[in-house]
Amino acid sequence: MAVEQTLSIIKPDATRRNITGAINARLEEAGLRIVAQKRIRLGRDQAEAFYDVHKERPFYDSLCEFMTSGPVVVQVLEAENAVALNREVMGATNPADAAPGTIRADLAESLEANSVHGSDSPDNAAREVAFFFSDEEIVG
Ligand code: GDP
């Protein structure tokens, strides 16, 4: 299995509760290396563009509102099989369905305010990493 990169976002519910370090510790303990990271405030246009794939979903407006409600930490994670590994560490979208010990099971507030984003495929990972980071910002 080749070394992969994936895009992670620590969402506003987590920055608000000051648990970005706790989340990073879980990522690192799982073997994911944080090879780029920045704390930013998403603009509405940026949030809408990032979640364009969900444009037709009933929760799109609310999701964009939530994602712009406070700072986020965007990060590039690197590991063998990083996309799937990060999804495993994150847990299911709905914290009520997430396996015990996952970030979402232990830390998420709700289905929407579920603390972390992670790319769901290598193709989306490449697109999402490029959405936030230039090559020079990623230091492996
Ligand atoms: P993910 O890949 O596990 O993040 O899940 P999705 O790509 O399906 O959804 C993107 C994000 O939209 C989720 O992480 C949640 O923050 C939010 N979301 C998903 N489903 C719902 C929903 O039914 N209602 C609301 N309010 N938000 C949702």
Side-chain angles (χ1 to χ4, degrees), residues 32-99:
L32 291 154
R33 302 184 72 84
I34 302 165
V35 295
Q37 175 167 260
K38 54 190 172 190
R39 183 177 172 105
I40 58 174
R41 182 80 182 245
L42 287 179
R44 181 76 189 198
D45 289 355
Q46 249 179 327
E48 288 181 358
F50 184 78
Y51 280 115
D52 189 61
V53 62
H54 292 313
K55 198 167 42 190
E56 307 304 330
R57 310 281 284 274
F59 58 81
Y60 178 68
D61 268 349
S62 174
L63 176 61
C64 291
E65 192 67 30
F66 164 62
M67 290 300 288
T68 57
S69 68
V72 298
V73 177
V74 292
Q75 45 191 194
V76 182
L77 308 180
E78 189 174 90
E80 281 193 11
N81 209 14
V83 172
L85 176 58
N86 185 40
R87 297 289 301 190
E88 215 176 290
V89 175
M90 290 163 57
T93 307
N94 188 339
D97 302 328

Short mmCIF file of all heavy atoms in Angstrom, two decimals, residues 32-99:
data_model
loop_
_atom_site.label_atom_id
_atom_site.label_comp_id
_atom_site.label_asym_id
_atom_site.label_seq_id
_atom_site.Cartn_x
_atom_site.Cartn_y
_atom_site.Cartn_z
N LEU A 32 -1.19 8.66 11.69
CA LEU A 32 -1.33 9.70 10.66
C LEU A 32 -0.39 10.85 11.00
O LEU A 32 -0.37 11.34 12.14
CB LEU A 32 -2.79 10.20 10.62
CG LEU A 32 -3.78 9.16 10.08
CD1 LEU A 32 -5.18 9.40 10.63
CD2 LEU A 32 -3.80 9.17 8.55
N ARG A 33 0.41 11.26 10.01
CA ARG A 33 1.36 12.37 10.21
C ARG A 33 0.71 13.66 9.71
O ARG A 33 0.18 13.70 8.59
CB ARG A 33 2.66 12.13 9.43
CG ARG A 33 3.36 10.85 9.81
CD ARG A 33 4.69 10.73 9.08
NE ARG A 33 5.67 11.65 9.61
CZ ARG A 33 6.42 11.39 10.68
NH1 ARG A 33 6.31 10.24 11.32
NH2 ARG A 33 7.30 12.27 11.11
N ILE A 34 0.76 14.73 10.51
CA ILE A 34 0.19 16.01 10.11
C ILE A 34 1.28 16.75 9.34
O ILE A 34 2.20 17.32 9.93
CB ILE A 34 -0.28 16.81 11.34
CG1 ILE A 34 -1.32 16.00 12.12
CG2 ILE A 34 -0.87 18.17 10.90
CD1 ILE A 34 -1.60 16.52 13.52
N VAL A 35 1.19 16.72 8.00
CA VAL A 35 2.28 17.27 7.17
C VAL A 35 1.97 18.70 6.69
O VAL A 35 2.81 19.33 6.06
CB VAL A 35 2.61 16.34 5.98
CG1 VAL A 35 3.17 15.01 6.50
CG2 VAL A 35 1.41 16.10 5.07
N ALA A 36 0.77 19.17 7.00
CA ALA A 36 0.41 20.58 6.77
C ALA A 36 -0.78 20.89 7.67
O ALA A 36 -1.63 20.02 7.91
CB ALA A 36 0.04 20.82 5.32
N GLN A 37 -0.84 22.14 8.14
CA GLN A 37 -1.94 22.48 9.05
C GLN A 37 -2.08 23.99 9.13
O GLN A 37 -1.08 24.71 9.25
CB GLN A 37 -1.63 21.91 10.43
CG GLN A 37 -2.62 22.29 11.52
CD GLN A 37 -2.42 21.43 12.77
OE1 GLN A 37 -3.14 20.48 12.99
NE2 GLN A 37 -1.44 21.78 13.57
N LYS A 38 -3.30 24.50 9.07
CA LYS A 38 -3.51 25.92 9.34
C LYS A 38 -4.92 26.15 9.90
O LYS A 38 -5.87 25.47 9.54
CB LYS A 38 -3.26 26.79 8.10
CG LYS A 38 -4.02 26.41 6.85
CD LYS A 38 -3.48 27.21 5.64
CE LYS A 38 -4.09 26.72 4.34
NZ LYS A 38 -3.45 27.29 3.14
N ARG A 39 -4.99 27.13 10.79
CA ARG A 39 -6.28 27.50 11.39
C ARG A 39 -6.81 28.69 10.60
O ARG A 39 -6.12 29.71 10.45
CB ARG A 39 -6.04 27.88 12.86
CG ARG A 39 -7.31 28.22 13.64
CD ARG A 39 -6.90 28.50 15.08
NE ARG A 39 -7.97 29.01 15.89
CZ ARG A 39 -8.64 28.28 16.80
NH1 ARG A 39 -8.35 27.01 16.99
NH2 ARG A 39 -9.59 28.82 17.53
N ILE A 40 -8.02 28.54 10.07
CA ILE A 40 -8.59 29.58 9.21
C ILE A 40 -10.08 29.76 9.54
O ILE A 40 -10.67 28.92 10.21
CB ILE A 40 -8.45 29.24 7.70
CG1 ILE A 40 -9.15 27.91 7.38
CG2 ILE A 40 -6.99 29.18 7.28
CD1 ILE A 40 -9.19 27.57 5.90
N ARG A 41 -10.63 30.85 9.07
CA ARG A 41 -12.08 31.05 9.15
C ARG A 41 -12.60 30.95 7.72
O ARG A 41 -12.22 31.76 6.86
CB ARG A 41 -12.38 32.43 9.74
CG ARG A 41 -13.84 32.77 9.93
CD ARG A 41 -14.39 32.12 11.20
NE ARG A 41 -15.80 32.41 11.36
CZ ARG A 41 -16.31 33.14 12.36
NH1 ARG A 41 -15.51 33.65 13.27
NH2 ARG A 41 -17.60 33.34 12.45
N LEU A 42 -13.42 29.95 7.44
CA LEU A 42 -13.95 29.78 6.09
C LEU A 42 -14.93 30.90 5.76
O LEU A 42 -15.76 31.25 6.60
CB LEU A 42 -14.70 28.45 5.96
CG LEU A 42 -13.90 27.15 5.93
CD1 LEU A 42 -14.85 25.97 5.82
CD2 LEU A 42 -12.93 27.15 4.77
N GLY A 43 -14.83 31.44 4.56
CA GLY A 43 -15.85 32.35 4.06
C GLY A 43 -17.02 31.54 3.51
O GLY A 43 -16.87 30.35 3.22
N ARG A 44 -18.16 32.20 3.39
CA ARG A 44 -19.35 31.49 2.89
C ARG A 44 -19.11 30.89 1.49
O ARG A 44 -19.48 29.75 1.23
CB ARG A 44 -20.53 32.48 2.86
CG ARG A 44 -21.84 31.89 2.40
CD ARG A 44 -22.48 31.03 3.48
NE ARG A 44 -23.62 30.30 2.93
CZ ARG A 44 -24.57 29.76 3.67
NH1 ARG A 44 -24.53 29.82 4.99
NH2 ARG A 44 -25.56 29.10 3.11
N ASP A 45 -18.46 31.65 0.62
CA ASP A 45 -18.19 31.17 -0.75
C ASP A 45 -17.32 29.92 -0.71
O ASP A 45 -17.53 28.98 -1.48
CB ASP A 45 -17.48 32.24 -1.58
CG ASP A 45 -18.41 33.39 -1.93
OD1 ASP A 45 -19.61 33.29 -1.60
OD2 ASP A 45 -17.93 34.38 -2.52
N GLN A 46 -16.32 29.96 0.17
CA GLN A 46 -15.41 28.82 0.29
C GLN A 46 -16.14 27.57 0.79
O GLN A 46 -15.94 26.47 0.26
CB GLN A 46 -14.34 29.16 1.34
CG GLN A 46 -12.95 29.37 0.82
CD GLN A 46 -12.01 29.72 1.97
OE1 GLN A 46 -12.40 30.37 2.95
NE2 GLN A 46 -10.79 29.28 1.86
N ALA A 47 -16.97 27.75 1.82
CA ALA A 47 -17.72 26.61 2.37
C ALA A 47 -18.66 26.05 1.30
O ALA A 47 -18.76 24.83 1.13
CB ALA A 47 -18.51 27.05 3.60
N GLU A 48 -19.33 26.92 0.57
CA GLU A 48 -20.25 26.46 -0.47
C GLU A 48 -19.50 25.71 -1.56
O GLU A 48 -19.95 24.68 -2.06
CB GLU A 48 -21.03 27.64 -1.06
CG GLU A 48 -22.06 28.18 -0.09
CD GLU A 48 -22.86 29.35 -0.66
OE1 GLU A 48 -22.58 29.77 -1.80
OE2 GLU A 48 -23.76 29.83 0.06
N ALA A 49 -18.33 26.21 -1.94
CA ALA A 49 -17.55 25.55 -2.99
C ALA A 49 -17.02 24.21 -2.50
O ALA A 49 -17.06 23.20 -3.22
CB ALA A 49 -16.39 26.45 -3.43
N PHE A 50 -16.56 24.18 -1.25
CA PHE A 50 -16.00 22.92 -0.72
C PHE A 50 -17.07 21.84 -0.67
O PHE A 50 -16.80 20.67 -0.97
CB PHE A 50 -15.40 23.16 0.66
CG PHE A 50 -14.72 21.94 1.22
CD1 PHE A 50 -13.46 21.58 0.76
CD2 PHE A 50 -15.35 21.14 2.15
CE1 PHE A 50 -12.83 20.43 1.24
CE2 PHE A 50 -14.73 20.00 2.64
CZ PHE A 50 -13.47 19.64 2.18
N TYR A 51 -18.29 22.21 -0.27
CA TYR A 51 -19.37 21.23 -0.12
C TYR A 51 -20.30 21.21 -1.32
O TYR A 51 -21.44 20.76 -1.21
CB TYR A 51 -20.14 21.50 1.17
CG TYR A 51 -19.45 20.98 2.41
CD1 TYR A 51 -18.99 21.85 3.39
CD2 TYR A 51 -19.25 19.62 2.60
CE1 TYR A 51 -18.34 21.37 4.54
CE2 TYR A 51 -18.61 19.13 3.74
CZ TYR A 51 -18.16 20.00 4.69
OH TYR A 51 -17.53 19.51 5.82
N ASP A 52 -19.81 21.67 -2.47
CA ASP A 52 -20.62 21.73 -3.69
C ASP A 52 -21.32 20.39 -4.00
O ASP A 52 -22.45 20.36 -4.50
CB ASP A 52 -19.73 22.15 -4.87
CG ASP A 52 -20.55 22.44 -6.10
OD1 ASP A 52 -21.39 23.35 -6.03
OD2 ASP A 52 -20.38 21.72 -7.12
N VAL A 53 -20.64 19.29 -3.69
CA VAL A 53 -21.19 17.96 -3.95
C VAL A 53 -22.51 17.74 -3.20
O VAL A 53 -23.34 16.93 -3.61
CB VAL A 53 -20.14 16.88 -3.59
CG1 VAL A 53 -19.79 16.94 -2.12
CG2 VAL A 53 -20.58 15.49 -3.98
N HIS A 54 -22.72 18.48 -2.11
CA HIS A 54 -23.94 18.33 -1.31
C HIS A 54 -24.99 19.42 -1.60
O HIS A 54 -25.96 19.54 -0.86
CB HIS A 54 -23.61 18.39 0.19
CG HIS A 54 -22.82 17.22 0.68
ND1 HIS A 54 -23.15 15.92 0.38
CD2 HIS A 54 -21.71 17.14 1.46
CE1 HIS A 54 -22.28 15.09 0.94
NE2 HIS A 54 -21.39 15.81 1.59
N LYS A 55 -24.78 20.17 -2.68
CA LYS A 55 -25.62 21.34 -3.00
C LYS A 55 -27.11 21.04 -2.98
O LYS A 55 -27.92 21.87 -2.56
CB LYS A 55 -25.21 21.87 -4.38
CG LYS A 55 -25.62 23.26 -4.69
CD LYS A 55 -24.91 23.80 -5.92
CE LYS A 55 -24.80 22.78 -7.03
NZ LYS A 55 -23.92 23.19 -8.13
N GLU A 56 -27.49 19.84 -3.45
CA GLU A 56 -28.91 19.51 -3.55
C GLU A 56 -29.46 18.90 -2.26
O GLU A 56 -30.66 18.62 -2.18
CB GLU A 56 -29.15 18.52 -4.70
CG GLU A 56 -28.59 18.97 -6.06
CD GLU A 56 -29.13 20.33 -6.49
OE1 GLU A 56 -30.27 20.67 -6.11
OE2 GLU A 56 -28.39 21.06 -7.20
N ARG A 57 -28.60 18.67 -1.28
CA ARG A 57 -29.07 18.01 -0.04
C ARG A 57 -29.78 19.04 0.84
O ARG A 57 -29.43 20.22 0.87
CB ARG A 57 -27.89 17.41 0.73
CG ARG A 57 -26.97 16.54 -0.13
CD ARG A 57 -27.54 15.15 -0.36
NE ARG A 57 -27.42 14.30 0.81
CZ ARG A 57 -26.32 13.58 1.09
NH1 ARG A 57 -25.27 13.64 0.32
NH2 ARG A 57 -26.29 12.80 2.15
N PRO A 58 -30.78 18.59 1.60
CA PRO A 58 -31.56 19.52 2.45
C PRO A 58 -30.71 20.20 3.53
O PRO A 58 -31.08 21.28 4.01
CB PRO A 58 -32.63 18.62 3.09
CG PRO A 58 -32.19 17.22 2.87
CD PRO A 58 -31.30 17.21 1.67
N PHE A 59 -29.57 19.59 3.90
CA PHE A 59 -28.77 20.16 4.99
C PHE A 59 -27.67 21.09 4.50
O PHE A 59 -26.87 21.59 5.29
CB PHE A 59 -28.18 19.04 5.86
CG PHE A 59 -27.32 18.04 5.14
CD1 PHE A 59 -25.99 18.31 4.84
CD2 PHE A 59 -27.85 16.81 4.74
CE1 PHE A 59 -25.19 17.39 4.18
CE2 PHE A 59 -27.05 15.88 4.07
CZ PHE A 59 -25.72 16.18 3.78
N TYR A 60 -27.60 21.34 3.18
CA TYR A 60 -26.49 22.11 2.60
C TYR A 60 -26.33 23.50 3.22
O TYR A 60 -25.24 23.89 3.65
CB TYR A 60 -26.70 22.20 1.10
CG TYR A 60 -25.66 23.00 0.33
CD1 TYR A 60 -24.35 22.56 0.21
CD2 TYR A 60 -26.01 24.19 -0.30
CE1 TYR A 60 -23.41 23.28 -0.51
CE2 TYR A 60 -25.08 24.91 -1.03
CZ TYR A 60 -23.78 24.45 -1.12
OH TYR A 60 -22.85 25.17 -1.85
N ASP A 61 -27.43 24.25 3.31
CA ASP A 61 -27.37 25.62 3.85
C ASP A 61 -26.93 25.61 5.30
O ASP A 61 -26.08 26.40 5.71
CB ASP A 61 -28.75 26.28 3.77
CG ASP A 61 -28.90 27.05 2.47
OD1 ASP A 61 -27.88 27.22 1.77
OD2 ASP A 61 -30.04 27.45 2.17
N SER A 62 -27.52 24.71 6.06
CA SER A 62 -27.20 24.61 7.47
C SER A 62 -25.74 24.20 7.67
O SER A 62 -25.03 24.74 8.53
CB SER A 62 -28.16 23.60 8.12
OG SER A 62 -27.81 23.37 9.44
N LEU A 63 -25.27 23.27 6.84
CA LEU A 63 -23.88 22.82 6.93
C LEU A 63 -22.92 23.98 6.62
O LEU A 63 -21.93 24.18 7.35
CB LEU A 63 -23.65 21.67 5.94
CG LEU A 63 -22.22 21.13 5.82
CD1 LEU A 63 -21.71 20.58 7.15
CD2 LEU A 63 -22.16 20.02 4.74
N CYS A 64 -23.23 24.76 5.59
CA CYS A 64 -22.35 25.90 5.24
C CYS A 64 -22.38 26.96 6.35
O CYS A 64 -21.35 27.56 6.66
CB CYS A 64 -22.77 26.49 3.89
SG CYS A 64 -22.42 25.37 2.52
N GLU A 65 -23.55 27.15 6.94
CA GLU A 65 -23.68 28.09 8.07
C GLU A 65 -22.80 27.62 9.24
O GLU A 65 -22.03 28.39 9.81
CB GLU A 65 -25.16 28.13 8.49
CG GLU A 65 -25.53 29.23 9.43
CD GLU A 65 -25.42 30.62 8.80
OE1 GLU A 65 -25.62 30.74 7.57
OE2 GLU A 65 -25.13 31.56 9.56
N PHE A 66 -22.92 26.34 9.56
CA PHE A 66 -22.12 25.78 10.66
C PHE A 66 -20.62 25.89 10.38
O PHE A 66 -19.84 26.29 11.25
CB PHE A 66 -22.53 24.31 10.89
CG PHE A 66 -21.54 23.53 11.71
CD1 PHE A 66 -21.27 23.90 13.03
CD2 PHE A 66 -20.88 22.44 11.17
CE1 PHE A 66 -20.33 23.18 13.78
CE2 PHE A 66 -19.95 21.73 11.92
CZ PHE A 66 -19.67 22.11 13.23
N MET A 67 -20.21 25.55 9.18
CA MET A 67 -18.77 25.51 8.86
C MET A 67 -18.14 26.91 8.85
O MET A 67 -16.92 27.04 8.91
CB MET A 67 -18.53 24.80 7.54
CG MET A 67 -18.79 23.29 7.59
SD MET A 67 -17.74 22.41 8.78
CE MET A 67 -16.14 22.47 7.95
N THR A 68 -18.99 27.95 8.75
CA THR A 68 -18.47 29.32 8.79
C THR A 68 -18.72 29.98 10.16
O THR A 68 -18.47 31.18 10.32
CB THR A 68 -19.12 30.18 7.68
OG1 THR A 68 -20.54 30.15 7.84
CG2 THR A 68 -18.75 29.68 6.30
N SER A 69 -19.21 29.19 11.12
CA SER A 69 -19.62 29.78 12.41
C SER A 69 -18.45 30.02 13.36
O SER A 69 -18.62 30.64 14.41
CB SER A 69 -20.65 28.86 13.09
OG SER A 69 -20.04 27.65 13.48
N GLY A 70 -17.28 29.53 13.00
CA GLY A 70 -16.09 29.71 13.84
C GLY A 70 -14.88 29.19 13.10
O GLY A 70 -15.01 28.70 11.98
N PRO A 71 -13.70 29.30 13.71
CA PRO A 71 -12.49 28.82 13.03
C PRO A 71 -12.52 27.32 12.78
O PRO A 71 -13.18 26.57 13.52
CB PRO A 71 -11.37 29.17 14.01
CG PRO A 71 -11.98 29.92 15.13
CD PRO A 71 -13.44 29.85 15.03
N VAL A 72 -11.80 26.92 11.76
CA VAL A 72 -11.55 25.50 11.51
C VAL A 72 -10.04 25.30 11.40
O VAL A 72 -9.30 26.27 11.19
CB VAL A 72 -12.23 25.00 10.21
CG1 VAL A 72 -13.74 25.14 10.27
CG2 VAL A 72 -11.68 25.73 8.98
N VAL A 73 -9.60 24.07 11.58
CA VAL A 73 -8.20 23.74 11.33
C VAL A 73 -8.18 22.77 10.15
O VAL A 73 -8.73 21.67 10.24
CB VAL A 73 -7.53 23.10 12.56
CG1 VAL A 73 -6.09 22.70 12.24
CG2 VAL A 73 -7.57 24.06 13.74
N VAL A 74 -7.61 23.23 9.03
CA VAL A 74 -7.49 22.36 7.86
C VAL A 74 -6.10 21.73 7.90
O VAL A 74 -5.12 22.39 8.28
CB VAL A 74 -7.73 23.11 6.53
CG1 VAL A 74 -9.17 23.55 6.43
CG2 VAL A 74 -6.80 24.31 6.37
N GLN A 75 -6.03 20.46 7.54
CA GLN A 75 -4.75 19.77 7.66
C GLN A 75 -4.63 18.67 6.61
O GLN A 75 -5.62 18.11 6.15
CB GLN A 75 -4.57 19.22 9.08
CG GLN A 75 -5.78 18.54 9.65
CD GLN A 75 -5.70 18.22 11.14
OE1 GLN A 75 -6.53 17.45 11.62
NE2 GLN A 75 -4.77 18.77 11.89
N VAL A 76 -3.38 18.41 6.24
CA VAL A 76 -3.08 17.28 5.36
C VAL A 76 -2.46 16.18 6.22
O VAL A 76 -1.50 16.43 6.96
CB VAL A 76 -2.10 17.68 4.24
CG1 VAL A 76 -1.84 16.50 3.31
CG2 VAL A 76 -2.64 18.87 3.45
N LEU A 77 -3.04 15.00 6.14
CA LEU A 77 -2.56 13.85 6.90
C LEU A 77 -1.91 12.87 5.95
O LEU A 77 -2.42 12.63 4.85
CB LEU A 77 -3.72 13.16 7.62
CG LEU A 77 -4.62 14.06 8.48
CD1 LEU A 77 -5.73 13.24 9.12
CD2 LEU A 77 -3.80 14.78 9.54
N GLU A 78 -0.81 12.28 6.38
CA GLU A 78 -0.07 11.36 5.52
C GLU A 78 0.17 10.04 6.25
O GLU A 78 0.51 10.04 7.44
CB GLU A 78 1.26 12.00 5.14
CG GLU A 78 2.03 11.25 4.07
CD GLU A 78 3.27 12.03 3.66
OE1 GLU A 78 4.33 11.81 4.28
OE2 GLU A 78 3.19 12.84 2.72
N ALA A 79 -0.04 8.96 5.54
CA ALA A 79 0.22 7.61 6.07
C ALA A 79 -0.01 6.62 4.94
O ALA A 79 -0.56 6.99 3.90
CB ALA A 79 -0.74 7.26 7.21
N GLU A 80 0.39 5.39 5.14
CA GLU A 80 -0.07 4.35 4.22
C GLU A 80 -1.58 4.26 4.37
O GLU A 80 -2.08 4.25 5.50
CB GLU A 80 0.58 3.01 4.58
CG GLU A 80 2.01 2.92 4.08
CD GLU A 80 2.57 1.51 4.12
OE1 GLU A 80 1.80 0.56 4.35
OE2 GLU A 80 3.78 1.38 3.92
N ASN A 81 -2.28 4.24 3.25
CA ASN A 81 -3.74 4.08 3.29
C ASN A 81 -4.42 5.18 4.12
O ASN A 81 -5.39 4.93 4.84
CB ASN A 81 -4.04 2.70 3.93
CG ASN A 81 -5.32 2.11 3.43
OD1 ASN A 81 -5.88 2.58 2.43
ND2 ASN A 81 -5.81 1.10 4.12
N ALA A 82 -3.91 6.42 4.02
CA ALA A 82 -4.36 7.50 4.89
C ALA A 82 -5.86 7.80 4.79
O ALA A 82 -6.49 8.12 5.81
CB ALA A 82 -3.56 8.77 4.58
N VAL A 83 -6.42 7.70 3.59
CA VAL A 83 -7.84 8.06 3.42
C VAL A 83 -8.71 7.13 4.28
O VAL A 83 -9.52 7.59 5.10
CB VAL A 83 -8.26 7.99 1.93
CG1 VAL A 83 -9.75 8.16 1.78
CG2 VAL A 83 -7.50 9.04 1.11
N ALA A 84 -8.52 5.83 4.10
CA ALA A 84 -9.33 4.86 4.84
C ALA A 84 -8.98 4.88 6.33
O ALA A 84 -9.87 4.78 7.18
CB ALA A 84 -9.13 3.47 4.26
N LEU A 85 -7.70 5.02 6.63
CA LEU A 85 -7.28 5.04 8.04
C LEU A 85 -7.92 6.21 8.78
O LEU A 85 -8.46 6.05 9.89
CB LEU A 85 -5.74 5.12 8.13
CG LEU A 85 -5.14 5.25 9.53
CD1 LEU A 85 -5.57 4.08 10.44
CD2 LEU A 85 -3.61 5.32 9.45
N ASN A 86 -7.91 7.40 8.15
CA ASN A 86 -8.53 8.56 8.81
C ASN A 86 -10.03 8.37 8.99
O ASN A 86 -10.59 8.73 10.03
CB ASN A 86 -8.22 9.84 8.02
CG ASN A 86 -8.73 11.07 8.73
OD1 ASN A 86 -8.61 11.18 9.95
ND2 ASN A 86 -9.30 12.00 7.99
N ARG A 87 -10.70 7.79 7.97
CA ARG A 87 -12.14 7.54 8.10
C ARG A 87 -12.42 6.61 9.29
O ARG A 87 -13.42 6.76 9.99
CB ARG A 87 -12.70 6.95 6.80
CG ARG A 87 -12.61 7.83 5.57
CD ARG A 87 -13.55 9.02 5.58
NE ARG A 87 -14.94 8.67 5.67
CZ ARG A 87 -15.94 9.54 5.49
NH1 ARG A 87 -15.67 10.82 5.22
NH2 ARG A 87 -17.19 9.18 5.61
N GLU A 88 -11.51 5.64 9.49
CA GLU A 88 -11.66 4.70 10.61
C GLU A 88 -11.52 5.43 11.95
O GLU A 88 -12.30 5.20 12.88
CB GLU A 88 -10.54 3.67 10.47
CG GLU A 88 -10.89 2.27 10.89
CD GLU A 88 -9.72 1.36 10.60
OE1 GLU A 88 -9.44 1.09 9.41
OE2 GLU A 88 -9.05 0.94 11.57
N VAL A 89 -10.51 6.30 12.03
CA VAL A 89 -10.26 7.03 13.28
C VAL A 89 -11.41 8.01 13.57
O VAL A 89 -11.78 8.25 14.72
CB VAL A 89 -8.91 7.79 13.19
CG1 VAL A 89 -8.66 8.65 14.41
CG2 VAL A 89 -7.76 6.80 13.01
N MET A 90 -11.98 8.60 12.47
CA MET A 90 -13.09 9.56 12.63
C MET A 90 -14.37 8.89 13.13
O MET A 90 -15.07 9.45 13.97
CB MET A 90 -13.43 10.18 11.26
CG MET A 90 -12.39 11.13 10.71
SD MET A 90 -12.66 11.40 8.94
CE MET A 90 -14.34 12.02 8.90
N GLY A 91 -14.70 7.73 12.58
CA GLY A 91 -15.98 7.08 12.87
C GLY A 91 -17.07 7.54 11.92
O GLY A 91 -16.89 8.47 11.13
N ALA A 92 -18.23 6.91 12.02
CA ALA A 92 -19.35 7.19 11.11
C ALA A 92 -19.83 8.63 11.23
O ALA A 92 -19.66 9.28 12.27
CB ALA A 92 -20.50 6.23 11.43
N THR A 93 -20.43 9.12 10.14
CA THR A 93 -20.90 10.51 10.05
C THR A 93 -21.76 10.90 11.25
O THR A 93 -21.56 11.96 11.85
CB THR A 93 -21.73 10.70 8.76
OG1 THR A 93 -20.96 10.24 7.65
CG2 THR A 93 -22.11 12.16 8.57
N ASN A 94 -22.72 10.03 11.59
CA ASN A 94 -23.59 10.30 12.74
C ASN A 94 -22.93 9.72 14.00
O ASN A 94 -22.72 8.51 14.08
CB ASN A 94 -24.95 9.64 12.51
CG ASN A 94 -25.96 10.05 13.57
OD1 ASN A 94 -25.58 10.49 14.65
ND2 ASN A 94 -27.24 9.90 13.25
N PRO A 95 -22.60 10.57 14.96
CA PRO A 95 -21.91 10.06 16.16
C PRO A 95 -22.68 8.93 16.86
O PRO A 95 -22.07 8.08 17.50
CB PRO A 95 -21.77 11.29 17.06
CG PRO A 95 -22.58 12.37 16.44
CD PRO A 95 -22.80 12.02 15.00
N ALA A 96 -24.00 8.93 16.69
CA ALA A 96 -24.81 7.87 17.32
C ALA A 96 -24.49 6.51 16.71
O ALA A 96 -24.69 5.47 17.35
CB ALA A 96 -26.29 8.17 17.15
N ASP A 97 -23.98 6.51 15.46
CA ASP A 97 -23.64 5.25 14.79
C ASP A 97 -22.15 4.95 14.82
O ASP A 97 -21.70 3.92 14.32
CB ASP A 97 -24.06 5.32 13.30
CG ASP A 97 -25.53 5.59 13.13
OD1 ASP A 97 -26.30 5.14 13.99
OD2 ASP A 97 -25.92 6.24 12.13
N ALA A 98 -21.35 5.89 15.34
CA ALA A 98 -19.89 5.75 15.27
C ALA A 98 -19.39 4.72 16.28
O ALA A 98 -19.91 4.62 17.40
CB ALA A 98 -19.23 7.10 15.52
N ALA A 99 -18.40 3.95 15.86
CA ALA A 99 -17.85 2.91 16.74
C ALA A 99 -17.20 3.54 17.98
O ALA A 99 -16.60 4.62 17.90
CB ALA A 99 -16.82 2.09 15.97
#
